[in-house]
Short mmCIF file of all heavy atoms in Angstrom, two decimals:
data_model
loop_
_atom_site.label_atom_id
_atom_site.label_comp_id
_atom_site.label_asym_id
_atom_site.label_seq_id
_atom_site.Cartn_x
_atom_site.Cartn_y
_atom_site.Cartn_z
N MET A 1 61.23 -155.28 -78.19
CA MET A 1 61.38 -156.43 -77.34
C MET A 1 61.07 -157.69 -78.13
O MET A 1 60.26 -157.66 -79.02
CB MET A 1 60.46 -156.32 -76.11
CG MET A 1 60.74 -157.37 -75.08
SD MET A 1 59.46 -157.51 -73.82
CE MET A 1 58.33 -158.55 -74.60
N PHE A 2 61.77 -158.76 -77.75
CA PHE A 2 61.40 -160.01 -78.33
C PHE A 2 61.51 -161.10 -77.26
O PHE A 2 62.04 -160.84 -76.19
CB PHE A 2 62.30 -160.38 -79.54
CG PHE A 2 63.76 -160.30 -79.33
CD1 PHE A 2 64.46 -161.46 -78.90
CD2 PHE A 2 64.45 -159.15 -79.43
CE1 PHE A 2 65.77 -161.44 -78.69
CE2 PHE A 2 65.80 -159.04 -79.20
CZ PHE A 2 66.48 -160.22 -78.82
N VAL A 3 60.94 -162.24 -77.54
CA VAL A 3 60.87 -163.32 -76.55
C VAL A 3 61.46 -164.60 -77.16
O VAL A 3 61.16 -164.89 -78.34
CB VAL A 3 59.39 -163.59 -76.12
CG1 VAL A 3 59.29 -164.68 -75.09
CG2 VAL A 3 58.75 -162.32 -75.59
N LEU A 4 62.25 -165.23 -76.36
CA LEU A 4 62.79 -166.58 -76.79
C LEU A 4 62.08 -167.65 -76.00
O LEU A 4 61.89 -167.50 -74.81
CB LEU A 4 64.32 -166.63 -76.57
CG LEU A 4 65.17 -165.60 -77.25
CD1 LEU A 4 66.62 -165.82 -76.80
CD2 LEU A 4 65.04 -165.67 -78.75
N ASP A 5 61.79 -168.75 -76.67
CA ASP A 5 61.36 -169.98 -75.96
C ASP A 5 62.61 -170.76 -75.74
O ASP A 5 63.29 -171.17 -76.70
CB ASP A 5 60.43 -170.79 -76.83
CG ASP A 5 59.03 -170.08 -76.99
OD1 ASP A 5 58.56 -169.54 -75.99
OD2 ASP A 5 58.51 -170.12 -78.09
N VAL A 6 62.98 -171.00 -74.48
CA VAL A 6 64.28 -171.62 -74.15
C VAL A 6 64.00 -172.89 -73.30
O VAL A 6 63.35 -172.82 -72.28
CB VAL A 6 65.18 -170.65 -73.39
CG1 VAL A 6 66.50 -171.31 -73.07
CG2 VAL A 6 65.39 -169.38 -74.22
N SER A 7 64.58 -174.00 -73.75
CA SER A 7 64.42 -175.27 -72.99
C SER A 7 65.59 -175.45 -72.03
O SER A 7 66.68 -175.02 -72.34
CB SER A 7 64.38 -176.43 -73.93
OG SER A 7 63.40 -176.28 -74.93
N GLY A 8 65.35 -176.12 -70.94
CA GLY A 8 66.40 -176.61 -70.08
C GLY A 8 66.90 -175.58 -69.07
O GLY A 8 68.01 -175.75 -68.53
N ILE A 9 66.11 -174.51 -68.81
CA ILE A 9 66.54 -173.57 -67.75
C ILE A 9 66.27 -174.23 -66.40
O ILE A 9 65.09 -174.20 -65.95
CB ILE A 9 65.83 -172.23 -67.90
CG1 ILE A 9 65.92 -171.64 -69.31
CG2 ILE A 9 66.39 -171.22 -66.87
CD1 ILE A 9 65.15 -170.44 -69.54
N GLY A 10 67.28 -174.82 -65.82
CA GLY A 10 67.02 -175.64 -64.61
C GLY A 10 67.15 -174.91 -63.32
O GLY A 10 66.55 -175.27 -62.30
N CYS A 11 67.97 -173.85 -63.24
CA CYS A 11 68.23 -173.22 -61.97
C CYS A 11 68.74 -171.83 -62.18
O CYS A 11 68.87 -171.33 -63.28
CB CYS A 11 69.30 -174.04 -61.19
SG CYS A 11 70.94 -174.02 -61.98
N GLY A 12 69.07 -171.17 -61.06
CA GLY A 12 69.54 -169.80 -61.07
C GLY A 12 70.85 -169.65 -61.85
O GLY A 12 71.12 -168.62 -62.47
N SER A 13 71.68 -170.69 -61.79
CA SER A 13 72.92 -170.60 -62.55
C SER A 13 72.70 -170.58 -64.05
O SER A 13 73.42 -169.85 -64.78
CB SER A 13 73.78 -171.80 -62.12
OG SER A 13 74.73 -172.11 -63.11
N CYS A 14 71.71 -171.35 -64.52
CA CYS A 14 71.34 -171.24 -65.91
C CYS A 14 70.90 -169.86 -66.27
O CYS A 14 71.28 -169.30 -67.32
CB CYS A 14 70.15 -172.18 -66.22
SG CYS A 14 70.50 -173.95 -65.97
N ILE A 15 70.08 -169.28 -65.39
CA ILE A 15 69.58 -167.91 -65.66
C ILE A 15 70.74 -166.94 -65.76
O ILE A 15 70.79 -166.10 -66.67
CB ILE A 15 68.56 -167.51 -64.57
CG1 ILE A 15 67.32 -168.37 -64.62
CG2 ILE A 15 68.22 -166.01 -64.66
CD1 ILE A 15 66.35 -168.14 -63.47
N SER A 16 71.68 -167.04 -64.89
CA SER A 16 72.80 -166.08 -64.94
C SER A 16 73.68 -166.33 -66.12
O SER A 16 74.20 -165.38 -66.75
CB SER A 16 73.58 -166.03 -63.63
OG SER A 16 74.47 -167.07 -63.52
N LYS A 17 73.87 -167.60 -66.53
CA LYS A 17 74.60 -167.82 -67.79
C LYS A 17 73.96 -167.22 -68.98
O LYS A 17 74.60 -166.62 -69.83
CB LYS A 17 74.71 -169.34 -68.02
CG LYS A 17 75.97 -170.02 -67.39
CD LYS A 17 76.17 -171.43 -67.95
CE LYS A 17 75.38 -172.42 -67.16
NZ LYS A 17 75.60 -173.83 -67.53
N ILE A 18 72.66 -167.42 -69.08
CA ILE A 18 71.89 -166.86 -70.22
C ILE A 18 71.98 -165.34 -70.20
O ILE A 18 72.22 -164.68 -71.23
CB ILE A 18 70.42 -167.35 -70.16
CG1 ILE A 18 70.37 -168.86 -70.49
CG2 ILE A 18 69.56 -166.56 -71.11
CD1 ILE A 18 69.05 -169.49 -70.19
N THR A 19 71.77 -164.75 -69.02
CA THR A 19 71.81 -163.31 -68.95
C THR A 19 73.19 -162.78 -69.33
O THR A 19 73.30 -161.80 -70.10
CB THR A 19 71.43 -162.89 -67.51
OG1 THR A 19 70.15 -163.42 -67.19
CG2 THR A 19 71.39 -161.37 -67.33
N LYS A 20 74.21 -163.43 -68.85
CA LYS A 20 75.59 -162.97 -69.16
C LYS A 20 75.88 -163.06 -70.67
O LYS A 20 76.51 -162.17 -71.24
CB LYS A 20 76.67 -163.85 -68.44
CG LYS A 20 77.07 -163.22 -67.17
CD LYS A 20 78.23 -164.11 -66.57
CE LYS A 20 78.25 -163.96 -65.04
NZ LYS A 20 78.77 -165.12 -64.35
N ALA A 21 75.46 -164.15 -71.30
CA ALA A 21 75.67 -164.30 -72.72
C ALA A 21 75.01 -163.21 -73.51
O ALA A 21 75.51 -162.70 -74.53
CB ALA A 21 75.20 -165.67 -73.18
N ILE A 22 73.79 -162.82 -73.09
CA ILE A 22 73.07 -161.77 -73.84
C ILE A 22 73.75 -160.43 -73.58
O ILE A 22 73.93 -159.62 -74.49
CB ILE A 22 71.59 -161.74 -73.42
CG1 ILE A 22 70.93 -163.05 -73.87
CG2 ILE A 22 70.85 -160.54 -74.03
CD1 ILE A 22 69.50 -163.28 -73.35
N HIS A 23 74.21 -160.24 -72.37
CA HIS A 23 74.92 -158.98 -72.06
C HIS A 23 76.25 -158.87 -72.80
O HIS A 23 76.75 -157.77 -73.02
CB HIS A 23 75.10 -158.77 -70.54
CG HIS A 23 73.87 -158.33 -69.86
ND1 HIS A 23 73.54 -158.59 -68.55
CD2 HIS A 23 72.80 -157.57 -70.36
CE1 HIS A 23 72.42 -158.00 -68.21
NE2 HIS A 23 71.92 -157.40 -69.32
N ALA A 24 76.82 -160.02 -73.13
CA ALA A 24 78.08 -159.99 -73.91
C ALA A 24 77.78 -159.43 -75.35
O ALA A 24 78.70 -158.81 -75.91
CB ALA A 24 78.64 -161.39 -74.02
N LEU A 25 76.58 -159.62 -75.82
CA LEU A 25 76.23 -159.03 -77.14
C LEU A 25 75.81 -157.60 -77.03
O LEU A 25 76.04 -156.80 -77.88
CB LEU A 25 75.10 -159.84 -77.77
CG LEU A 25 75.37 -161.28 -78.21
CD1 LEU A 25 74.12 -161.99 -78.64
CD2 LEU A 25 76.42 -161.31 -79.28
N ASP A 26 75.06 -157.30 -75.96
CA ASP A 26 74.49 -155.96 -75.74
C ASP A 26 74.53 -155.69 -74.25
O ASP A 26 73.65 -156.18 -73.52
CB ASP A 26 73.11 -155.85 -76.32
CG ASP A 26 72.43 -154.50 -75.99
OD1 ASP A 26 73.13 -153.60 -75.46
OD2 ASP A 26 71.24 -154.38 -76.31
N SER A 27 75.48 -154.90 -73.80
CA SER A 27 75.62 -154.68 -72.38
C SER A 27 74.44 -153.92 -71.82
O SER A 27 74.19 -153.90 -70.60
CB SER A 27 76.91 -153.92 -72.07
OG SER A 27 76.96 -152.70 -72.77
N GLU A 28 73.69 -153.23 -72.66
CA GLU A 28 72.53 -152.45 -72.24
C GLU A 28 71.25 -153.24 -72.26
O GLU A 28 70.18 -152.68 -71.91
CB GLU A 28 72.33 -151.22 -73.16
CG GLU A 28 73.54 -150.40 -73.43
CD GLU A 28 73.75 -149.43 -72.27
OE1 GLU A 28 72.95 -148.47 -72.15
OE2 GLU A 28 74.65 -149.59 -71.48
N ALA A 29 71.31 -154.48 -72.72
CA ALA A 29 70.04 -155.28 -72.86
C ALA A 29 69.39 -155.48 -71.51
O ALA A 29 70.03 -155.63 -70.49
CB ALA A 29 70.40 -156.62 -73.44
N ARG A 30 68.09 -155.44 -71.54
CA ARG A 30 67.30 -155.83 -70.34
C ARG A 30 66.82 -157.25 -70.56
O ARG A 30 66.14 -157.54 -71.59
CB ARG A 30 66.10 -154.90 -70.13
CG ARG A 30 66.60 -153.46 -69.95
CD ARG A 30 65.48 -152.60 -69.31
NE ARG A 30 65.04 -153.17 -68.08
CZ ARG A 30 63.92 -152.82 -67.47
NH1 ARG A 30 63.18 -151.83 -67.95
NH2 ARG A 30 63.52 -153.39 -66.32
N VAL A 31 67.11 -158.13 -69.65
CA VAL A 31 66.80 -159.52 -69.80
C VAL A 31 65.94 -159.99 -68.62
O VAL A 31 66.30 -159.75 -67.47
CB VAL A 31 68.09 -160.36 -69.82
CG1 VAL A 31 67.78 -161.86 -70.00
CG2 VAL A 31 69.02 -159.89 -70.88
N LEU A 32 64.80 -160.60 -68.96
CA LEU A 32 63.93 -161.12 -67.90
C LEU A 32 63.65 -162.57 -68.20
O LEU A 32 63.08 -162.93 -69.24
CB LEU A 32 62.63 -160.30 -67.88
CG LEU A 32 61.69 -160.62 -66.70
CD1 LEU A 32 62.26 -160.07 -65.40
CD2 LEU A 32 60.32 -160.05 -66.98
N VAL A 33 64.11 -163.46 -67.29
CA VAL A 33 63.95 -164.89 -67.51
C VAL A 33 62.77 -165.41 -66.68
O VAL A 33 62.76 -165.22 -65.47
CB VAL A 33 65.26 -165.63 -67.19
CG1 VAL A 33 65.04 -167.14 -67.36
CG2 VAL A 33 66.42 -165.17 -67.97
N ASP A 34 61.82 -166.05 -67.32
CA ASP A 34 60.72 -166.72 -66.64
C ASP A 34 61.00 -168.20 -66.73
O ASP A 34 60.70 -168.87 -67.74
CB ASP A 34 59.43 -166.37 -67.30
CG ASP A 34 58.20 -167.04 -66.61
OD1 ASP A 34 58.38 -168.04 -65.87
OD2 ASP A 34 57.07 -166.51 -66.77
N ARG A 35 61.68 -168.76 -65.71
CA ARG A 35 62.13 -170.13 -65.74
C ARG A 35 60.96 -171.10 -65.86
O ARG A 35 61.03 -172.07 -66.64
CB ARG A 35 62.95 -170.40 -64.48
CG ARG A 35 63.52 -171.78 -64.45
CD ARG A 35 64.63 -171.91 -63.40
NE ARG A 35 64.17 -171.78 -62.04
CZ ARG A 35 63.77 -172.86 -61.28
NH1 ARG A 35 63.87 -174.01 -61.76
NH2 ARG A 35 63.37 -172.66 -60.07
N ALA A 36 59.90 -170.91 -65.11
CA ALA A 36 58.80 -171.81 -65.12
C ALA A 36 58.18 -171.95 -66.53
O ALA A 36 57.78 -173.00 -66.97
CB ALA A 36 57.74 -171.36 -64.07
N ALA A 37 58.08 -170.79 -67.20
CA ALA A 37 57.48 -170.74 -68.51
C ALA A 37 58.43 -171.04 -69.60
O ALA A 37 58.05 -171.30 -70.78
CB ALA A 37 56.81 -169.42 -68.75
N GLY A 38 59.75 -171.05 -69.31
CA GLY A 38 60.76 -171.24 -70.37
C GLY A 38 60.82 -170.12 -71.35
O GLY A 38 61.06 -170.32 -72.53
N LYS A 39 60.63 -168.93 -70.84
CA LYS A 39 60.59 -167.72 -71.67
C LYS A 39 61.71 -166.78 -71.26
O LYS A 39 61.91 -166.54 -70.05
CB LYS A 39 59.27 -166.97 -71.57
CG LYS A 39 58.04 -167.80 -71.95
CD LYS A 39 57.64 -167.63 -73.36
CE LYS A 39 56.36 -168.36 -73.70
NZ LYS A 39 56.18 -168.63 -75.13
N VAL A 40 62.35 -166.18 -72.24
CA VAL A 40 63.35 -165.13 -71.97
C VAL A 40 62.94 -163.86 -72.72
O VAL A 40 62.91 -163.93 -73.96
CB VAL A 40 64.76 -165.59 -72.34
CG1 VAL A 40 65.77 -164.48 -72.08
CG2 VAL A 40 65.17 -166.88 -71.60
N ASN A 41 62.55 -162.88 -71.97
CA ASN A 41 62.21 -161.58 -72.55
C ASN A 41 63.35 -160.72 -72.70
O ASN A 41 64.13 -160.56 -71.72
CB ASN A 41 61.16 -160.87 -71.67
CG ASN A 41 59.84 -161.63 -71.55
OD1 ASN A 41 58.95 -161.41 -72.33
ND2 ASN A 41 59.80 -162.56 -70.62
N VAL A 42 63.63 -160.19 -73.86
CA VAL A 42 64.83 -159.42 -74.10
C VAL A 42 64.45 -158.06 -74.70
O VAL A 42 63.72 -157.99 -75.71
CB VAL A 42 65.74 -160.14 -75.09
CG1 VAL A 42 67.07 -159.34 -75.27
CG2 VAL A 42 66.08 -161.57 -74.67
N GLU A 43 64.95 -157.02 -74.05
CA GLU A 43 64.76 -155.69 -74.58
C GLU A 43 66.13 -155.23 -75.04
O GLU A 43 67.03 -154.97 -74.26
CB GLU A 43 64.25 -154.77 -73.49
CG GLU A 43 63.24 -153.75 -73.94
CD GLU A 43 62.77 -152.95 -72.71
OE1 GLU A 43 61.92 -153.51 -71.99
OE2 GLU A 43 63.26 -151.81 -72.52
N SER A 44 66.34 -155.25 -76.39
CA SER A 44 67.62 -154.95 -76.93
C SER A 44 67.50 -154.60 -78.39
O SER A 44 66.55 -155.06 -79.07
CB SER A 44 68.51 -156.20 -76.82
OG SER A 44 69.72 -156.08 -77.54
N SER A 45 68.40 -153.77 -78.87
CA SER A 45 68.42 -153.48 -80.31
C SER A 45 69.21 -154.56 -81.08
O SER A 45 69.34 -154.46 -82.31
CB SER A 45 69.00 -152.09 -80.56
OG SER A 45 70.28 -152.00 -79.93
N GLU A 46 69.84 -155.52 -80.36
CA GLU A 46 70.60 -156.59 -81.02
C GLU A 46 69.63 -157.49 -81.80
O GLU A 46 68.48 -157.61 -81.50
CB GLU A 46 71.30 -157.40 -79.93
CG GLU A 46 72.15 -158.56 -80.45
CD GLU A 46 73.27 -158.06 -81.39
OE1 GLU A 46 74.30 -157.60 -80.91
OE2 GLU A 46 73.02 -158.18 -82.61
N ASN A 47 70.19 -158.05 -82.89
CA ASN A 47 69.42 -158.93 -83.77
C ASN A 47 68.89 -160.16 -82.99
O ASN A 47 69.73 -160.86 -82.36
CB ASN A 47 70.34 -159.34 -84.90
CG ASN A 47 69.69 -160.24 -85.88
OD1 ASN A 47 69.22 -161.32 -85.56
ND2 ASN A 47 69.61 -159.83 -87.13
N PRO A 48 67.55 -160.40 -82.97
CA PRO A 48 67.06 -161.51 -82.18
C PRO A 48 67.66 -162.86 -82.54
O PRO A 48 67.92 -163.70 -81.60
CB PRO A 48 65.56 -161.50 -82.54
CG PRO A 48 65.28 -160.08 -82.98
CD PRO A 48 66.51 -159.61 -83.62
N GLU A 49 67.99 -163.06 -83.81
CA GLU A 49 68.60 -164.33 -84.20
C GLU A 49 69.99 -164.51 -83.61
O GLU A 49 70.40 -165.57 -83.20
CB GLU A 49 68.62 -164.43 -85.73
CG GLU A 49 69.39 -165.65 -86.29
CD GLU A 49 68.98 -167.01 -85.72
OE1 GLU A 49 67.79 -167.18 -85.30
OE2 GLU A 49 69.82 -167.89 -85.72
N ARG A 50 70.74 -163.42 -83.51
CA ARG A 50 72.06 -163.54 -82.88
C ARG A 50 71.94 -163.84 -81.35
O ARG A 50 72.73 -164.59 -80.84
CB ARG A 50 72.82 -162.20 -83.07
CG ARG A 50 73.34 -161.95 -84.50
CD ARG A 50 74.39 -160.90 -84.53
NE ARG A 50 75.58 -161.23 -83.75
CZ ARG A 50 76.43 -160.36 -83.22
NH1 ARG A 50 76.24 -159.06 -83.42
NH2 ARG A 50 77.48 -160.76 -82.60
N VAL A 51 70.95 -163.24 -80.76
CA VAL A 51 70.72 -163.53 -79.31
C VAL A 51 70.32 -164.97 -79.12
O VAL A 51 70.80 -165.67 -78.26
CB VAL A 51 69.67 -162.56 -78.76
CG1 VAL A 51 69.29 -162.89 -77.29
CG2 VAL A 51 70.13 -161.09 -78.84
N ARG A 52 69.41 -165.42 -80.02
CA ARG A 52 68.94 -166.82 -79.94
C ARG A 52 70.12 -167.76 -80.10
O ARG A 52 70.29 -168.70 -79.30
CB ARG A 52 67.89 -167.09 -81.01
CG ARG A 52 67.23 -168.44 -80.91
CD ARG A 52 66.74 -168.93 -82.25
NE ARG A 52 67.80 -169.16 -83.22
CZ ARG A 52 68.62 -170.20 -83.16
NH1 ARG A 52 68.49 -171.11 -82.25
NH2 ARG A 52 69.60 -170.31 -84.04
N ALA A 53 70.98 -167.48 -81.08
CA ALA A 53 72.14 -168.34 -81.34
C ALA A 53 73.06 -168.36 -80.13
O ALA A 53 73.65 -169.46 -79.77
CB ALA A 53 72.85 -167.91 -82.58
N ALA A 54 73.27 -167.22 -79.50
CA ALA A 54 74.17 -167.14 -78.33
C ALA A 54 73.63 -168.00 -77.20
O ALA A 54 74.41 -168.70 -76.52
CB ALA A 54 74.35 -165.67 -77.90
N VAL A 55 72.33 -167.96 -77.00
CA VAL A 55 71.73 -168.78 -75.91
C VAL A 55 71.79 -170.27 -76.25
O VAL A 55 72.15 -171.12 -75.40
CB VAL A 55 70.24 -168.35 -75.70
CG1 VAL A 55 69.56 -169.31 -74.73
CG2 VAL A 55 70.18 -166.88 -75.20
N GLU A 56 71.56 -170.62 -77.50
CA GLU A 56 71.67 -172.00 -77.90
C GLU A 56 73.08 -172.55 -77.82
O GLU A 56 73.29 -173.69 -77.41
CB GLU A 56 71.12 -172.15 -79.36
CG GLU A 56 71.01 -173.63 -79.73
CD GLU A 56 69.80 -173.92 -80.59
OE1 GLU A 56 68.66 -173.61 -80.14
OE2 GLU A 56 70.00 -174.36 -81.68
N THR A 57 74.07 -171.72 -78.07
CA THR A 57 75.47 -172.13 -77.95
C THR A 57 75.78 -172.57 -76.50
O THR A 57 76.65 -173.40 -76.30
CB THR A 57 76.37 -170.94 -78.39
OG1 THR A 57 76.11 -170.70 -79.75
CG2 THR A 57 77.82 -171.27 -78.19
N LEU A 58 75.10 -172.02 -75.55
CA LEU A 58 75.29 -172.41 -74.15
C LEU A 58 74.77 -173.80 -73.84
O LEU A 58 74.94 -174.32 -72.78
CB LEU A 58 74.62 -171.41 -73.19
CG LEU A 58 75.09 -169.96 -73.24
CD1 LEU A 58 74.16 -169.12 -72.40
CD2 LEU A 58 76.54 -169.85 -72.73
N GLY A 59 73.91 -174.35 -74.79
CA GLY A 59 73.37 -175.65 -74.59
C GLY A 59 71.86 -175.64 -74.26
O GLY A 59 71.31 -176.64 -73.86
N PHE A 60 71.24 -174.48 -74.48
CA PHE A 60 69.81 -174.39 -74.24
C PHE A 60 69.11 -174.24 -75.58
O PHE A 60 69.16 -173.20 -76.24
CB PHE A 60 69.44 -173.17 -73.39
CG PHE A 60 70.14 -173.12 -72.06
CD1 PHE A 60 71.27 -172.35 -71.87
CD2 PHE A 60 69.62 -173.85 -70.97
CE1 PHE A 60 71.89 -172.31 -70.63
CE2 PHE A 60 70.26 -173.84 -69.75
CZ PHE A 60 71.36 -173.06 -69.60
N PRO A 61 68.39 -175.29 -76.01
CA PRO A 61 67.67 -175.21 -77.32
C PRO A 61 66.71 -174.00 -77.27
O PRO A 61 65.94 -173.88 -76.27
CB PRO A 61 66.92 -176.53 -77.37
CG PRO A 61 67.71 -177.48 -76.49
CD PRO A 61 68.23 -176.60 -75.40
N SER A 62 66.80 -173.16 -78.27
CA SER A 62 66.04 -171.93 -78.26
C SER A 62 65.38 -171.63 -79.57
O SER A 62 65.91 -171.94 -80.61
CB SER A 62 67.01 -170.75 -77.95
OG SER A 62 67.76 -170.97 -76.82
N LYS A 63 64.21 -170.99 -79.50
CA LYS A 63 63.65 -170.42 -80.70
C LYS A 63 63.04 -169.11 -80.40
O LYS A 63 62.66 -168.84 -79.26
CB LYS A 63 62.72 -171.40 -81.37
CG LYS A 63 61.46 -171.76 -80.60
CD LYS A 63 60.68 -172.88 -81.33
CE LYS A 63 59.49 -173.34 -80.54
NZ LYS A 63 58.26 -172.64 -80.80
N ILE A 64 62.90 -168.30 -81.47
CA ILE A 64 62.25 -166.99 -81.26
C ILE A 64 60.73 -167.24 -81.19
O ILE A 64 60.15 -167.95 -82.00
CB ILE A 64 62.61 -166.10 -82.46
CG1 ILE A 64 64.14 -165.81 -82.41
CG2 ILE A 64 61.78 -164.79 -82.34
CD1 ILE A 64 64.68 -165.16 -83.70
N SER A 65 60.18 -166.74 -80.14
CA SER A 65 58.76 -166.97 -79.87
C SER A 65 57.91 -166.13 -80.89
O SER A 65 58.18 -165.02 -81.16
CB SER A 65 58.44 -166.50 -78.44
OG SER A 65 57.17 -166.96 -78.08
N ALA A 66 56.92 -166.81 -81.40
CA ALA A 66 56.07 -166.14 -82.40
C ALA A 66 55.15 -165.07 -81.74
O ALA A 66 54.84 -165.16 -80.59
CB ALA A 66 55.16 -167.13 -83.10
CU1 CU B 1 71.06 -174.37 -64.03
#
């Protein structure tokens, strides 16, 4: 599992966009978005950097949480 710090998650629609983008990379991924904390927990064998880039492409500045 890895965690992304994601800015600008404003509403449920943002959450579903982010979730869909991650599922496009790995349909089996488990995605848990904590909107208040700006954290996206991802359980996936996909490369974290690829997932981060996919989320950022949607317009949400993202970094891999240390
Ligand atoms: Cu939104």
Side-chain angles (χ1 to χ4, degrees):
M1 191 192 83
F2 53 93
V3 180
L4 302 178
D5 292 318
V6 180
S7 306
I9 307 174
C11 67
S13 156
C14 297
I15 294 173
S16 81
K17 268 193 275 185
I18 290 168
T19 303
K20 266 186 206 150
I22 297 172
H23 281 153
L25 293 174
D26 174 7
S27 58
E28 307 279 289
R30 299 197 55 193
V31 181
L32 188 72
V33 179
D34 182 338
R35 182 163 67 92
K39 302 266 185 199
V40 179
N41 296 267
V42 184
E43 217 176 283
S44 170
S45 53
E46 182 58 81
N47 182 299
E49 172 53 28
R50 287 195 64 203
V51 174
R52 188 205 64 74
V55 172
E56 187 143 302
T57 297
L58 299 171
F60 302 99
S62 306
K63 64 186 175 89
I64 296 166
S65 193

